[in-house]
Amino acid sequence: MIVSNFRVFGDWAENLVLELVGAVEAKSEHPIGVAITKHATEVLGPFNTVIDSSEVKIGKGIIANVSLNGKKYEVAIGNLKTFSDYFLKENTDRLKVDSDNTVAHIAINNQYVGYLELEDAVKKDSATVINFLKYEGYEVAMVTGDSAKAANK
């Protein structure tokens, strides 16, 4: 999985947002978190943050309290369910991104600040493995937690 687009709104500095989300996801084993951290470190190098606390919201995202340069931030990264449940009391329809990719939304200090789009990279040997499994008599299917658009891409 790779980050294919990163969008920040308002007065937030792109590098600040990227450092915060990269640091929050740094201990994640989830493919989305791993991709976000990899992208952030490739762009920025090592993080200068301290994660004061974090809570994974299974199937939704992660919420963390982060310290950076003497300032404290509450950072949320996740799907729309995260934002409608925990941060934004407003209608989240305006946050829907028309994308064929997986979208990870970002809020900092209860303010929506942007999103990342992530896409899967097809492995070189995928077709060979699938054909072999079919040849061996297995029924092959793809199971994903992504949107239908992302899965069909």
Side-chain angles (χ1 to χ4, degrees), residues 57-126:
K57 301 292 185 179
I58 296 177
K60 297 177 184 176
I62 186 168
I63 301 165
N65 291 301
V66 182
S67 297
L68 175 63
N69 300 327
K71 290 187 175 182
K72 298 209 178 269
Y73 302 92
E74 183 178 62
V75 180
I77 308 156
N79 59 29
L80 283 180
K81 185 74 172 149
T82 300
F83 292 86
S84 60
D85 284 356
Y86 300 102
F87 288 96
L88 303 174
K89 301 306 177 198
E90 63 194 70
N91 185 335
T92 56
D93 285 345
R94 72 176 186 87
L95 305 180
K96 291 185 180 162
V97 177
D98 185 27
S99 175
D100 291 346
N101 298 318
T102 299
V103 178
H105 296 275
I106 306 161
I108 300 175
N109 298 339
N110 294 320
Q111 178 185 1
Y112 185 75
V113 300
Y115 62 88
L116 298 117
E117 289 181 74
L118 300 103
E119 59 184 284
D120 285 317
V122 177
K123 294 185 172 113
K124 293 177 188 175
D125 60 349
S126 295

Side-chain angles (χ1 to χ4, degrees), residues 14-43:
E14 191 171 294
N15 284 353
L16 170 63
V17 174
L18 189 57
E19 180 160 3
L20 292 171
V21 298
V24 167
E25 294 285 11
K27 302 263 189 229
S28 177
E29 295 176 2
H30 192 283
I32 291 173
V34 171
I36 290 170
T37 298
K38 181 178 183 217
H39 177 74
T41 55
E42 286 173 354
V43 172

